[in-house]
Amino acid sequence: MDEWLSKATQGVDLDAPDAFWHIFGNLMAMVPWAALFWWSVVFLAVGALLGWWRGRVWEGLVWAAVLGPIGWVVILLRPRPKPRPEPPPLPR
């Protein structure tokens, strides 16, 4: 934790009025954005696949986007939608 704090406050005058924004910028520079992006893409792809398998593609995408892998469990536990009732075919 001390290492992170020293990286976050590196080059920041703590008495300056905008010190918060400098520390916030330093913290955001430490986030692995590329890995977060690709993991999100994987979560969405698996959520869409599971949603397609369960007949709820958009719901699978939304749950995966909001909850990540926990959304996969949610979409798997939800019951399959009932098919729409269709009228009987007309006689020929």
Side-chain angles (χ1 to χ4, degrees), residues 25-79:
N26 289 344
L27 289 172
M28 289 297 109
M30 290 191 288
V31 174
W33 292 108
L36 285 175
F37 172 78
W38 288 113
W39 278 111
S40 296
V41 169
V42 169
F43 293 156
L44 288 173
V46 173
L49 181 67
L50 291 174
W52 171 78
W53 181 60
R54 300 293 288 185
R56 301 170 182 260
V57 176
W58 289 108
E59 193 173 333
L61 278 171
V62 169
W63 282 115
V66 172
L67 297 176
I70 298 170
W72 304 343
V73 176
V74 171
I75 196 67
L76 288 174
L77 293 178
R78 300 227 2 167

Side-chain angles (χ1 to χ4, degrees), residues 8-9 11-14 16-29:
T9 58
V12 177
D13 179 17
L14 296 177
D18 61 344
F20 169 79
W21 293 110
H22 287 285
I23 293 172
F24 181 74
N26 289 344
L27 289 172
M28 289 297 109

